[in-house]
Amino acid sequence: MENYVTGTDKISDLPDDSLTHILSYLSTREAVQTCIFSKRWRSTWTSLPVLRFDYGNFVPEATKRKHKESMVKFVKFVRGVLQNRERLLSLDTFEFCGHAPQDPCYCADLFSSECILLALKFNPLAFSVCACRQVILDCIEPIFTCASLESISLECASVSPDAKFLDLTAVNLPHLKLLELHSANVDDNFFKILLSGCPVLEELKLCYCILHASLLSSEALTSLVLKCCSFQNKLVISTPNLVHIDIYHAQSDGVRLSMETMRSLRAARIQCLTVHVNDTVKCSKGLLNLHVSSTFGISAHTLKSDQRKVTRNGFPNCSNFKNLTSLQLGCSDLSHLFNSIPLFLHKSPNLEKLSLQVFPKNIWLNTKEKSIEEEWRDAKSKYEKWRDALLQLKHLEVVEIVNCNERMEIVNKLVEELSSFLKSTEIKIVIVQTSK
């Protein structure tokens, strides 16, 4: 038999900083369990720079009785880790998820607020909490006055229009650069107090929120994401240094935005039920990439009275996009899609890539189903208008057609027509297949 040399434990010989760094990639529960390895590991977990607590790891497939037992066990564990942590050590990241993945209704609300407040005493840099709405409301003021924070993510259950607003009385976040809110009900007062106390906030993400606000104004913001939000009022966005804006799956019959003084905007995606073009693209002269898509239509009928001017080409007199090189447009209605294209082509002299997508028909629309021939006949005059405009774009290299399985026949018709028209040019037609 071969002789085997017993290996040495080289990991335990690593310095404390290296050990805690390695353990920070584990959940805190797993990291604490390493204390059984040896005396060297017994107290390593008390100086972890990253703490991740997930209630889902404590919930069995379970009855309500077992859920209550798990809730007590989970909170006791979190409290124990925080109370035994070395007091003088700062905390890089604190993540707390109080929802059970099997059932979001199962929430570790018992003493969760106490655990969250205890974590704030370690002056964390990144702070993420997913918990019951009342837990977050109970902790909102201490969180937004924890001056060490550089990023905050708060998530709770679904929100209704009559839910209590996130009420801020004071904000002291001099280092905060990223704020992400899920399922919050916010108004103008929230934005006003928030932004006055976050002088260097660069990224704002609002997901599944109900927005009663009419003004969002910030000199510092460079990135804004509004995902699946419901707009109760027309929202004016005044952010001169914004570089990226992403608005998609808006939960309303039309997103009406006025984007003022967006001198720095370079990339925008607007995807919702109805897009009112003239409001959404106003003052965005620096755009490099623009993606506008809609289920019902992209319209140009929301101009203010002092802007009802038309150019000699017959198109609304909105800003030129001299830096725009990539444009993506999408709609479920072919006529609406074709009608929107000239609005951009005549304003984008340096466009290099045009991407078009015809979405599946919306099953909730109570409209008569058209044949391919009828749909193309209705859209043909609009097609000819923007088709001819392609030849005026000196830098256009690619027309990309996104081919959805459900609209394959109409997409093939469009590709056939374009291929015939552009065969004598150097403009390429690229087909991208998607199942969506």
Side-chain angles (χ1 to χ4, degrees):
M1 294 180 65
E2 296 183 17
N3 294 322
Y4 292 94
V5 179
T6 304
T8 57
D9 182 6
K10 294 183 179 180
I11 295 181
S12 296
D13 292 335
L14 292 173
D16 288 349
D17 289 346
S18 298
L19 278 179
T20 55
H21 178 74
I22 294 171
L23 292 179
S24 67
Y25 289 97
L26 305 176
S27 71
T28 303
R29 189 183 192 189
E30 292 170 328
V32 171
Q33 290 172 345
T34 63
C35 69
I36 66 173
F37 290 169
S38 68
K39 291 181 179 180
R40 173 72 174 83
W41 293 76
R42 186 167 297 172
S43 60
T44 305
W45 61 271
T46 62
S47 54
L48 291 173
V50 176
L51 296 179
R52 295 189 178 95
F53 301 102
D54 188 350
Y55 180 46
N57 296 331
F58 287 77
V59 181
E61 303 230 345
T63 62
K64 289 185 177 180
R65 181 184 62 81
K66 289 185 178 180
H67 160 63
K68 291 180 180 179
E69 294 175 359
S70 299
M71 180 175 61
V72 173
K73 185 179 179 181
F74 171 67
V75 173
K76 185 178 179 180
F77 173 75
V78 177
R79 185 193 297 162
V81 170
L82 292 171
Q83 289 176 342
N84 285 281
R85 181 179 172 77
E86 294 187 23
R87 293 289 177 182
L88 298 179
L89 287 176
S90 60
L91 184 59
D92 290 346
T93 301
F94 176 78
E95 296 179 3
F96 179 94
C97 181
H99 286 301
Q102 300 95 331
D103 188 345
C105 295
Y106 285 178
C107 177
D109 52 353
L110 183 64
F111 301 117
S112 288
S113 300
E114 177 189 339
C115 295
I116 293 170
L117 296 177
L118 188 57
L120 290 171
K121 293 182 179 180
F122 293 97
N123 297 316
L125 302 179
F127 199 77
S128 175
V129 173
C130 175
C132 299
R133 182 173 305 280
Q134 191 57 50
V135 170
I136 291 179
L137 291 175
D138 290 343
C139 300
I140 200 72
E141 185 172 344
I143 292 175
F144 280 84
T145 54
C146 181
S148 64
L149 289 174
E150 296 179 1
S151 73
I152 297 175
S153 175
L154 302 177
E155 181 177 353
C156 53
S158 59
V159 64
S160 61
D162 56 350
K164 185 178 180 181
F165 288 119
L166 282 186
D167 188 16
L168 298 177
T169 56
V171 174
N172 179 31
L173 297 168
H175 306 294
L176 190 72
K177 293 184 178 181
L178 168 64
L179 174 62
E180 183 171 351
L181 297 178
H182 290 249
S183 303
N185 211 354
V186 300
D187 59 3
D188 279 317
N189 187 60
F190 173 84
F191 281 137
K192 181 179 178 180
I193 296 176
L194 170 71
L195 296 172
S196 66
C198 302
V200 297
L201 183 65
E202 297 177 352
E203 297 182 57
L204 178 61
K205 298 180 181 181
L206 302 178
C207 306
Y208 302 95
C209 292
I210 297 180
L211 307 180
H212 295 264
S214 57
L215 175 64
L216 173 56
S217 178
S218 170
E219 294 284 335
L221 273 184
T222 60
S223 176
L224 175 63
V225 176
L226 304 176
K227 175 185 177 182
C228 300
C229 291
S230 174
F231 297 79
Q232 303 300 300
N233 299 309
K234 178 177 177 178
L235 180 62
V236 176
I237 302 176
S238 180
T239 48
N241 294 306
L242 199 70
V243 175
H244 168 261
I245 187 168
D246 199 342
I247 304 170
Y248 58 108
H249 296 163
Q251 302 300 302
S252 60
D253 59 358
V255 176
R256 292 174 173 82
L257 302 171
S258 180
M259 298 181 178
E260 296 184 351
T261 62
M262 289 194 175
R263 299 185 297 268
S264 304
L265 197 62
R266 291 294 180 270
R269 178 171 73 153
I270 304 168
Q271 180 181 4
C272 49
L273 297 182
T274 304
V275 177
H276 302 285
V277 170
N278 303 97
D279 275 352
T280 56
V281 300
K282 188 176 66 173
C283 299
S284 305
K285 296 181 181 180
L287 275 173
L288 298 176
N289 298 280
L290 176 62
H291 173 181
V292 180
S293 57
S294 164
T295 301
F296 297 147
I298 303 171
S299 68
H301 305 298
T302 57
L303 291 171
K304 297 179 180 178
S305 57
D306 61 342
Q307 295 177 318
R308 293 184 183 276
K309 301 176 182 179
V310 177
T311 67
R312 62 182 180 180
N313 296 318
F315 298 102
N317 187 23
C318 53
S319 301
N320 285 322
F321 304 110
K322 294 181 180 179
N323 295 319
L324 187 65
T325 58
S326 177
L327 170 65
Q328 181 173 346
L329 298 172
C331 189
S332 62
D333 187 285
L334 201 63
S335 292
H336 286 153
L337 175 62
F338 289 175
N339 193 46
S340 69
I341 296 174
L343 297 172
F344 297 95
L345 295 190
H346 285 271
K347 297 294 181 178
S348 310
N350 294 309
L351 194 66
E352 297 175 2
K353 179 182 178 181
L354 173 64
S355 181
L356 304 175
Q357 180 172 8
V358 184
F359 295 142
K361 287 291 186 182
N362 193 292
I363 61 174
W364 304 109
L365 288 178
N366 187 22
T367 55
K368 181 182 177 181
E369 186 70 24
K370 296 180 182 179
S371 66
I372 301 299
E373 291 75 17
E374 289 175 323
E375 189 172 3
W376 183 259
R377 185 179 64 244
D378 293 345
K380 187 175 181 179
S381 62
K382 300 180 179 65
Y383 159 73
E384 292 173 348
K385 185 179 293 187
W386 69 262
R387 179 200 66 182
D388 295 339
L390 291 178
L391 300 181
Q392 306 302 317
L393 298 173
K394 297 180 180 179
H395 303 281
L396 187 65
E397 299 176 355
V398 176
V399 177
E400 179 183 82
I401 310 296
V402 182
N403 190 0
C404 171
N405 288 337
E406 294 183 34
R407 306 302 306 278
M408 188 174 297
E409 292 184 43
I410 196 68
V411 168
N412 288 341
K413 177 67 176 176
L414 174 58
V415 171
E416 178 185 341
E417 293 284 338
L418 274 178
S419 298
S420 175
F421 180 73
L422 297 175
K423 64 182 180 180
S424 60
T425 73
E426 295 184 358
I427 300 174
K428 298 179 181 178
I429 300 177
V430 177
I431 303 174
V432 177
Q433 189 69 32
T434 177
S435 59
K436 297 181 179 181

